[in-house]
Structures are given as structure tokens and as C-alpha cells.
Amino acid sequence: MQATAVHRLAQATVETWTHVEAAVARGEPADVALQSWWSEHRYYGSRDRRFMAGTIFSAFRWRGWLDLLEPSVSTRLAIAYLLDAVEPHPSAAALLAATPELVDAAPAGHLDLAGKAGWLAKTFALAGPPSPTALVPAWAPPLIDPLQLDGYLRAIQQRPPVWLRTRERDAEAVCALLAPHVGPAHVHPKLATALSLDRTPPSGLLQQLARRGCVVQDLASQCVALACQPTPGQRWWDMCAG
């Protein structure tokens, strides 16, 4: 990326975060606010949107720890990116321009929750690693069994894979179509129609895949359909609430 484009994307990420955070404070879901913002700013390309969306949702995911640091908005977003990323991004480095000592900080996306806490403590010279419980929203504890808190934290602090449902005979061809855009797709070992991806394909590619019967569908939903064993001529109503 050219330097101008790098800084433009960094600034766009700050502006988008500011809008989405304010919308969430008013009670609007973050994804709805983000889509609304993009409908008004159609000039962002798919790669730019992918970086912005990933960074913004990471900022919400790690908000409990980021609040402890009280960083500037740019630094907050850059740290959020680094906590989930497995490779550096020039716009993330641009976001850290106001914090020179962190510009060369290595991404921590390959670490587990304890490792990320240690990374944060070392990077910011904290007295000790932040507690995982700081990541739990204030409204959540009454809803969580204390014995399941550790598993809950591990689940919500990582990005779930994107699952596609395709025809079994098309799985190999679909994987070949996906590879140049999102990297390798993985066929589930027990469900040959289920493909997992590390990130969402571009919308244009999803439309192309839909024409051959391949759609985004969570693995659990695919398993429900498999367990129900619908037969030709039957009609089923999917009441999933997302």
C-alpha cells in the first residue's frame, strides 16, 4: 500500500469506530451501525472494509483490557488489531504513529488468552497481566455459571470460523475458487458439505458461489438439517434468530 492510502485507511478506521461506538452507546447493534455507515460511504473497497470491520470488532472484544490502558482512539484500535492479528498491517502501524515505542510490536493473534494477557503486560510494562474477568461485560456475570466462566471467556475472545454449506460434489471446486481470495478452506472431517474459512469471502464471490448452491451457514445449523433428514417434497421452516 502507498503511504497516502495507508494513512487514509487508518483515519477512516478511526472515523468509523467513532460512529459505531456512539451508535452502540445509544443501544444500536454494532454490526447494524457498521452496515448503515458503509451504506453512506460506498467508496470503501472490500479490503478496506475487511480491515476496518476486523479492527472495530476486535476493539469491542478486548474493550475491558483496553479501558484499563486508557489509550488514545488510534492506539486503542491498533492494539485491538494486534491482539487478534497474525500478521502486521501498515495501517495498524499508522494508527500507532502517536506511540512510537509500539510501532514494531508483533501481532499476538497466535497466542491464547493467557498469552495475550502476558503480551499486553510486557508491551505496556504493566505490573501484571490483566485479569480475563475484566473482559466480561458488566451485565453478563448473572447469566454465567461461575464454573463455566473460563470456557465462556475463551469462546467470546476468539473469532469463530466462517462456515459455508455446499454440495458435496462441489466441495473441491469451491475450495479452489476460495483459495486466491481467503486462503485455504477446510472440509469438515465428518460433514463433507461443510467448509470452514478464516475470514469472510468478498460479497461478489459469495454471489458467485450462491449461484452454484454454496451459501454461508453455521456448522450447527448444517448439523440440525443433517439430523432432521428432510426428504424430497417436505418443506421445513428455519426459525433461527441469528
Side-chain angles (χ1 to χ4, degrees):
M1 295 179 69
Q2 296 182 349
T4 302
V6 166
H7 288 280
R8 186 185 300 121
L9 178 55
Q11 183 59 38
T13 304
V14 170
E15 292 174 356
T16 304
W17 161 260
T18 301
H19 168 81
V20 174
E21 184 186 33
V24 169
R26 296 192 301 267
E28 187 174 346
D31 58 334
V32 173
L34 187 57
Q35 291 301 324
S36 174
W37 175 260
W38 279 341
S39 69
E40 300 172 5
H41 301 76
R42 297 181 180 275
Y43 43 80
Y44 296 134
S46 60
R47 291 185 180 180
D48 291 347
R49 292 187 182 202
R50 186 158 54 243
F51 173 80
M52 287 189 284
T55 301
I56 287 168
F57 287 123
S58 290
F60 281 116
R61 184 178 297 115
W62 300 104
R63 186 167 199 159
W65 283 357
L66 296 174
D67 285 347
L68 298 175
L69 301 174
E70 299 183 348
S72 67
V73 172
S74 295
T75 302
R76 172 185 292 268
L77 293 173
I79 297 169
Y81 173 84
L82 292 172
L83 280 168
D84 280 332
V86 294
E87 58 186 24
H89 191 286
S91 289
L95 287 167
L96 281 171
T99 317
E101 65 271 26
L102 299 178
V103 169
D104 296 323
H110 62 287
L111 301 174
D112 61 13
L113 192 60
K116 291 182 180 185
W119 176 90
L120 205 64
K122 180 179 179 181
T123 301
F124 287 90
L126 303 179
S131 170
T133 56
L135 297 169
V136 181
W139 50 263
L143 306 177
I144 306 170
D145 184 332
L147 298 177
Q148 298 178 351
L149 181 60
D150 184 63
Y152 169 79
L153 286 170
R154 287 199 305 271
I156 66 171
Q157 295 310 127
Q158 60 185 353
R159 295 175 179 171
V162 177
W163 287 96
L164 301 181
R165 187 194 75 238
T166 189
R167 299 185 181 96
E168 185 172 350
R169 65 179 182 274
D170 283 348
E172 186 174 339
V174 170
C175 288
L177 283 171
L178 290 165
H181 303 278
V182 296
H186 308 283
V187 181
H188 192 277
K190 294 185 178 180
L191 189 58
T193 58
L195 309 178
S196 67
L197 313 173
D198 291 331
R199 60 178 187 264
T200 305
S203 57
L205 180 57
L206 285 176
Q207 294 171 5
Q208 180 183 346
L209 293 173
R211 288 194 289 270
R212 60 189 302 158
C214 179
V215 296
V216 175
Q217 186 179 42
D218 188 67
L219 179 62
S221 297
Q222 295 189 48
C223 290
V224 168
L226 183 67
C228 291
Q229 290 292 305
T231 58
Q234 290 184 337
R235 300 182 68 180
W236 289 73
W237 183 15
D238 182 356
M239 295 180 63
C240 174

